[in-house]
């Protein structure tokens, strides 16, 4: 292994020690790690704590003085040392280990949260620690039985991608601190007779890291409920998401983090029915564009607006919002409606996240995809980092997706909601329009999210199974509802062919019903096309649209 050209370094060492006073007192005072940056893992059978320090012996004595409840659940120290460690490197690797341990799911983590002062910055040779030393460290931990999964498997897990310990960008960390300051201040100024709570709105398009920030914020808020010096001490808080698949992921995270509880992650209607007229402290809402804007007897929601009811039952409401991800009439949000709730709030603030994190794509690719929202088809973009490809057949696209899944994992076919023809009993299919090939329509159920089930590589997923999640490669079927007008050179949405009839329920009071239906379909296309981290594949069911997409692809190749 090499740090710089021609400079050899030793292998990483993991030294096991007993976690008790006698063992710590007997550490050799001449040991090089006593005044040197190191990482350590405290672990027992089911729980673990990961830290870093430059005063190892002193830090271990501090841990021995912690609450007995935590101490009794760990009985071993695993000291990690390496001759190139510096404080920046150990802090960075500590953060990575916490995230990967959470995704590994062998231990429940005792770690709480990081603050802005703990922000992981760039430093000299950071790529060496990321790309060479960390994989070596993980290999040693795997050999010693401290972890059970390889890095690749963990990186494809939803709970890893939504980890509250994820390293945040400068913009994301700044937003997190703003929200926490808002909560600390406003919680003290709230009054019991306030009709509506304060509102903080975080806006941004798909892939800008909204949910990661929210996960981190909630984790810190819940950690502060146990800190006597915080204004958030002993507060009652919830994270709400009106999306069954994402709720599974949040509850999965709660199982792996000791101070988080699954009961604090809930869908909006059950929470409102549980609280009745009770007011709690803070409610965070992920995917707030999925909140209902009409009563819905089917879901046992009798009021008129989810957000309004949540604001009545919390001192502070923090929401993640993207108007381009509205998928149902009964969740028909726009900026005007959201603005009306900002006006009702005693205090309201807004922050716009802009930096794209999901897609490893340049601006030309993002702009090309965004043009679909306005029914435009632009010149095919050129990208060396991101694979954008049009297919003649569904079968060919599916074959390539399966190859990518074997190579990189987490690659799936998804489709617009245009297929609901019942065949073979209870099985539904997505059909090839110019052949006999077909894929079963997505299945749900169980505690595992759809994309993480190995068998779903043979299926086509829907907007409801994939919204909010990452895929490495996504193959999108643009079904029969998405057509093309050659004379006007634009997309045409045939809303009558869109089979998600539930999406159109609740048209009362809508002025231009057809326009509203069209926007729902366009929003679903936008969400589907922005799932892929490394690549996007497209197959259009409509012949004219398929021909046009293949044409612009060929033109780009020829130039």
């Amino acid at each position: 292994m090499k740090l710089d050209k021609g400079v050899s370094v030793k292998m990483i060492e993991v030294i096991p020690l007993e976690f008790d006073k006698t063992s710590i007192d007997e550490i050799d005072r001449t040991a090089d790690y006593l005044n040197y940056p190191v990482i350590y893992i405290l672990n027992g059978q089911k729980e673990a704590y990961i830290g870093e320090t430059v005063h190892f012996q002193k830090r271990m004595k501090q841990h021995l003085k912690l609450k007995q409840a935590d101490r009794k659940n760990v009985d071993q120290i695993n000291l990690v040392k390496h001759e190139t460690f510096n404080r920046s490197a150990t802090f960075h690797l500590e953060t990575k280990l916490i995230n990967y341990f959470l995704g590994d799911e062998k231990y429940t983590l005792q770690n709480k949260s990081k603050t802005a002062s703990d922000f992981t910055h760039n430093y000299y040779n950071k790529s060496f620690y990321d790309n060479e030393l960390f994989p070596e460290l993980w290999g040693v931990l795997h050999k010693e039985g401290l972890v059970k999964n390889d890095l690749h498997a963990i990186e494809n897990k939803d709970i890893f991608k939504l980890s509250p310990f994820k390293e945040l960008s400068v913009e994301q960390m700044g937003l997190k601190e703003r929200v926490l300051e808002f909560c600390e201040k406003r919680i003290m100024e709230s009054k019991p007779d306030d009709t509506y709570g304060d509102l903080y709105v975080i806006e941004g398009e798909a892939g800008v890291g909204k949910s990661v920030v929210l996960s981190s914020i909630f984790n810190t808020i819940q950690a502060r409920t146990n800190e006597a010096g915080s204004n958030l001490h002993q507060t009652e808080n919830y994270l709400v998401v009106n999306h069954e698949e994402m709720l599974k992921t949040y509850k999965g995270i709660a199982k792996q983090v000791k101070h988080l509880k699954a009961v604090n992650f809930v869908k909006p209607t059950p929470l409102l029915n549980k609280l009745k007229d009770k007011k709690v402290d803070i409610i965070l809402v992920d995917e707030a564009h999925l909140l209902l804007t009409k009563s819905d007897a089917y879901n046992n929601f009798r009021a008129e607006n989810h957000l309004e009811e949540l604001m009545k039952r919390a001192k502070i409401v923090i929401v993640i919002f993207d108007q381009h991800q509205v998928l149902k009439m009964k969740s028909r949000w726009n900026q005007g409606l959201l603005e009306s709730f900002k006006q009702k709030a005693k205090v309201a603030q807004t922050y716009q996240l802009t930096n794209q994190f999901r897609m490893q794509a340049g601006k030309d690719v993002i702009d090309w995809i965004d043009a679909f929202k306005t029914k435009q088809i632009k010149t095919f973009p050129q990208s060396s980092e991101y694979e954008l490809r049009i297919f003649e057949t569904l079968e060919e696209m599916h074959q390539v997706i399966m190859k990518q899944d074997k190579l990189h994992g987490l690659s799936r076919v998804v489709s617009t909601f245009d297929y609901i023809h019942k065949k073979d009993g209870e099985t539904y299919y997505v059909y090839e329009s110019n052949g006999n090939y077909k894929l079963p329509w997505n299945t749900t159920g169980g505690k595992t999210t759809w994309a993480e089930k190995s068998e779903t590589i043979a299926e086509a997923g829907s907007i409801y199974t994939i919204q909010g999640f990452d895929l490495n490669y996504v193959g999108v079927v643009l079904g029969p509802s998405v057509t093309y007008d050659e004379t006007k050179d634009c997309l045409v949405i045939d809303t009558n062919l869109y089979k998600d009839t539930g999406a159109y329920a609740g048209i009362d009071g809508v002025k231009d019903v057809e326009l509203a239906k069209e926007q729902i379909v366009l929003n679903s296309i936008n969400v589907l096309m922005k799932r892929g981290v490394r690549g996007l594949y497209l197959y259009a069911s409509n012949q004219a649209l398929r021909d046009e997409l293949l044409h612009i692809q060929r033109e780009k190749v020829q130039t």
Side-chain angles (χ1 to χ4, degrees), residues 16-35:
L17 301 165
E18 293 297 318
F19 181 54
D20 57 43
K21 186 176 185 303
T22 301
S23 297
I24 293 170
D25 285 341
E26 289 179 353
I27 291 174
D28 183 354
R29 294 186 180 185
T30 65
D32 59 1
Y33 51 75
L34 287 185
N35 192 33

Side-chain angles (χ1 to χ4, degrees), residues 237-261:
N237 315 302
Y238 295 90
L239 193 153
V240 167
V241 61
N242 201 26
H243 186 313
E244 189 62 40
E245 295 293 293
M246 286 202 75
L247 189 61
K248 291 177 186 177
T249 299
Y250 278 119
K251 286 184 178 291
I253 290 171
K255 284 175 59 180
Q256 300 306 125
V257 182
K258 190 172 182 180
H259 68 273
L260 293 179
K261 307 298 180 189

